Amino acid sequence: MSAVLPTDPSHSDHGHADHAHDDHHHGAPTGWRRWVFATNHKDIGTLYLLFSFTMLMVGGVLALLIRAELFQPGLQLVNPELFNQLTTMHGLIMVFGAIMPAFVGFANWMLPLQIGASDMAFARMNNFSFWLMIPAGLMLVGSFFMPGGAPAAGWTLYAPLTLQMGPSMDTSIFAMHIMGASSIMGSINIIVTILNMRAPGMTLMKMPMFAWTWLITAYLLIAVMPVLAGAITMTLTDRHFGTSFFNPAGGGDPVMYQHIFWFFGHPEVYIMILPAFGIISQIVPAFSRKKLFGYASMVYAVAAIAILSFIVWAHHMFTTGMPVTGQLFFMYATMLISVPTAVKIFNWVATMWRGSMTFETPMLFSVGFIFVFTMGGFTGLILSMAPIDIQLQDTYYVVAHFHYVLVAGSLFSMFAGYYYWAPKWTGVMYSESRGRIHFWGSLIFFNITFFPMHFLGLAGMPRRYADYPMQFADFNMIASIGAFGFGLMQVYFFAFVVWPGMRHRGEKAPQKPWEGAEGLEWEVPSPAPFHTFETPPKLDATATKVIG
């Protein structure tokens, strides 16, 4: 079936960016110009994904240095100051350089294909928002080579530590401003694309779940990135312009920084997981060969999570001297957010229930995601209880919790999404056996790394310490061995799964490689042509197939 179908002339070019850039009616440009001046959503999506994988590797190397230091008691490789720089930059690079750009890459690649649009709404702004990431990423990584080394205040950049750091603190603040600007531009682009450029007949409640989760995520980003910008700008003026927002010596309040930061930081956690929910909601029905159970409740659950994320921020701050009334409010609000999250997990399980399931690699990663993300959710529920959280605050229990949510959540969903859509991107099928090795290796080593950290935290080991007493030695050694195994599995993934696909080596992918998959992206050839849906497609009643 043709990807570009004649439709009613009244729809021609209507609301579409057909003439948004010069190369639109020609083939792909060649050479370096194709990438530097890219305005095609597929090329920009590829650039985002490659950038985020590079940053994942950089952040991973920092993590392995941390785990190498913690392999046994005593100082092995790095001094405590460098250790704190490693933990700080590992967090910043993974959150702002790896996870967020990767999901933007998926959005760029898939949203126009899923909603029948010719491209993203603002093609040149799309290019600009990507290229802002490069200097920001270089500034973050380059801060290690500045006088005094990288910032060592933790990824949350709490005052008053940030007021005492060297010049690298300023470059990191600048880098985060640039990344925030990039995120806001990308979000505006996604919102306008989804609201204005859907194919005729695709109502909002017929959109794929991935489009819904990104629409809501984009609104979250626009709401909270300026809050982070405000917090780090106040830090900057405290450092250089004599203000005292967070400096107690001048009457400032360091706890105020925490309130502002976490008002950004908690919705940010959901910014990093909602697109993952969207990817899993595409894959589970495909390999269960059933419709997604409770589509409408899924949409409302995503919206509920997004709204509730704004009223739970201070559950990160139970130990800051908050009044009991405040503790109770944030405790109950945090427990409440588990309800829409549980709705989503129930819906995925109900979708699989009595489905005709097969377990190709995308489904393996999806089931692995549901299993491990649920474990991370339960530890979050435990931390929501103020009396328990006061005991576990800043211990390895917290580290275990958020890695179960972010690594097994965000990262596993990205792997699932890659295996699911890569045949459409590259035109070749990945090796199923290699995909399975990557999945089982990642799942096993992930749990070897982070599961022991629950016990370390319960036993009282604080995080961000370069040394520890002997009683924590065994679990730390197990965690470090697991971390190196997990890191090697991601190198294996790139070398033996991604690289052959990029070189177009492998069995040719059919137009629709997955029997149960639904959606407009499976209506175009594999690999997806440089330009798709230049004329809006005519849809069937379900808005998942092209008719004509």
Side-chain angles (χ1 to χ4, degrees):
M1 195 178 292
S2 169
V4 180
L5 295 158
T7 61
D8 177 5
S10 65
H11 289 311
S12 180
D13 294 346
H14 176 63
H16 280 250
D18 274 9
H19 303 291
H21 40 93
D22 306 328
D23 64 355
H24 208 99
H25 291 292
H26 310 292
T30 53
W32 59 271
R33 279 185 177 80
R34 171 176 177 178
W35 302 102
V36 173
F37 302 123
T39 51
N40 183 280
H41 71 97
K42 302 178 182 77
D43 283 354
I44 293 173
T46 302
L47 287 169
Y48 266 111
L49 289 168
L50 288 172
F51 170 79
S52 69
F53 192 83
T54 305
M55 295 302 270
L56 182 78
M57 291 291 103
V58 173
V61 168
L62 303 183
L64 293 183
L65 285 169
I66 293 166
R67 287 315 319 172
E69 175 55 56
L70 294 172
F71 185 74
Q72 58 189 47
L75 294 180
Q76 326 293 327
L77 301 171
V78 299
N79 61 32
E81 179 66 14
L82 179 55
F83 185 86
N84 282 338
Q85 293 174 26
L86 292 172
T87 54
T88 301
M89 298 314 292
H90 165 70
L92 288 175
I93 286 169
M94 287 303 203
V95 170
F96 295 103
I99 293 176
M100 289 171 67
F103 280 134
V104 177
F106 276 102
N108 263 293
W109 244 108
M110 297 316 303
L111 288 178
L113 287 179
Q114 289 191 325
I115 64 173
S118 57
D119 208 307
M120 297 296 279
F122 305 116
R124 288 195 176 88
M125 188 167 84
N126 207 8
N127 174 288
F128 185 47
S129 63
F130 169 74
W131 284 109
L132 282 176
M133 300 298 294
I134 303 295
L138 289 173
M139 274 193 281
L140 276 181
V141 177
S143 62
F144 279 105
F145 306 102
M146 296 188 68
W155 84 273
T156 51
L157 303 177
Y158 277 3
L161 285 170
T162 44
L163 310 181
Q164 302 156 11
M165 294 287 135
S168 63
M169 190 71 237
D170 304 320
T171 57
S172 297
I173 287 172
F174 189 32
M176 290 168 74
H177 271 301
I178 295 173
M179 285 178 162
S182 168
S183 292
I184 289 170
M185 282 192 284
S187 300
I188 292 168
N189 216 341
I190 286 165
I191 289 169
V192 175
T193 303
I194 291 174
L195 294 185
N196 285 359
M197 296 177 62
R198 298 190 309 284
M202 181 177 281
T203 61
L204 284 174
M205 291 308 278
K206 286 181 181 173
M207 286 199 311
M209 272 308 301
F210 183 64
W212 257 116
T213 54
W214 245 117
L215 179 64
I216 291 167
T217 301
Y219 277 112
L220 278 181
L221 273 165
I222 289 172
V224 300
M225 290 314 289
V227 178
L228 175 69
I232 56 180
T233 304
M234 285 189 267
T235 302
L236 195 69
T237 60
D238 274 11
R239 285 168 59 81
H240 297 293
F241 300 109
T243 57
S244 291
F245 291 110
F246 311 130
N247 187 357
D253 182 6
V255 176
M256 182 171 79
Y257 174 86
Q258 296 190 29
H259 278 288
I260 300 169
F261 178 86
W262 285 115
F263 191 77
F264 148 80
H266 204 82
E268 165 69 12
V269 172
Y270 292 98
I271 285 163
M272 291 190 283
I273 201 65
L274 289 183
F277 291 163
I279 292 172
I280 301 302
S281 300
Q282 301 289 130
I283 295 171
V284 168
F287 292 94
S288 303
R289 289 157 182 81
K290 282 173 66 185
K291 288 261 187 247
L292 179 67
F293 179 89
Y295 172 92
S297 65
M298 207 72 150
V299 173
Y300 298 137
V302 176
I305 289 170
I307 293 161
L308 289 172
S309 73
F310 283 102
I311 62 163
V312 297
W313 78 90
H315 67 204
H316 300 267
M317 301 170 55
F318 283 143
T319 56
T320 56
M322 191 189 303
V324 173
T325 319
Q327 291 189 5
L328 283 171
F329 170 81
F330 287 107
M331 185 167 98
Y332 293 138
T334 306
M335 291 177 180
L336 189 62
I337 212 166
S338 65
V339 176
T341 313
V343 167
K344 306 184 79 55
I345 289 166
F346 175 83
N347 285 11
W348 292 322
V349 174
T351 304
M352 291 188 278
W353 177 251
R354 305 191 79 167
S356 178
M357 290 210 297
T358 52
F359 291 96
E360 289 88 347
T361 311
M363 187 61 164
L364 284 177
F365 268 107
S366 299
V367 174
F369 164 94
I370 294 167
F371 170 65
V372 193
F373 178 80
T374 303
M375 289 172 64
F378 277 128
T379 56
L381 205 51
I382 288 164
L383 288 168
S384 74
M385 290 179 254
I388 300 177
D389 183 80
I390 287 165
Q391 295 297 313
L392 296 175
Q393 167 82 7
D394 265 337
T395 66
Y396 267 79
Y397 193 90
V398 178
V399 177
H401 157 67
F402 70 70
H403 281 87
Y404 263 78
V405 175
L406 283 182
V407 181
S410 300
L411 199 62
F412 276 24
S413 73
M414 288 178 209
F415 291 143
Y418 176 83
Y419 285 107
Y420 184 57
W421 283 313
K424 183 59 63 188
W425 300 347
T426 61
V428 296
M429 294 300 292
Y430 63 87
S431 161
E432 191 62 52
S433 57
R434 291 176 181 178
R436 287 169 190 271
I437 290 169
H438 176 224
F439 168 71
W440 287 111
S442 295
L443 185 72
I444 291 165
F445 282 125
F446 168 80
N447 282 291
I448 291 172
T449 307
F450 294 106
F451 199 73
M453 292 185 190
H454 293 102
F455 302 118
L456 287 170
L458 289 167
M461 179 173 169
R463 62 178 175 168
R464 298 181 188 159
Y465 277 40
D467 195 7
Y468 52 86
M470 200 64 206
Q471 68 259 35
F472 301 136
D474 292 347
F475 280 139
N476 267 301
M477 182 179 286
I478 293 167
S480 291
I481 292 167
F484 277 90
F486 187 75
L488 283 172
M489 289 318 300
Q490 309 331 313
V491 175
Y492 173 89
F493 167 65
F494 187 80
F496 295 105
V497 179
V498 177
W499 186 247
M502 288 167 67
R503 308 298 297 168
H504 304 293
R505 292 184 191 138
E507 173 198 340
K508 187 165 175 9
Q511 178 174 310
K512 185 176 167 184
W514 316 117
E515 183 193 328
E518 283 199 338
L520 294 187
E521 68 261 43
W522 308 112
E523 300 287 315
V524 301
S526 299
F530 191 67
H531 295 301
T532 42
F533 300 128
E534 293 191 11
T535 314
K538 275 187 176 174
L539 307 181
D540 68 354
T542 64
T544 58
K545 288 190 174 67
V546 177
I547 54 172

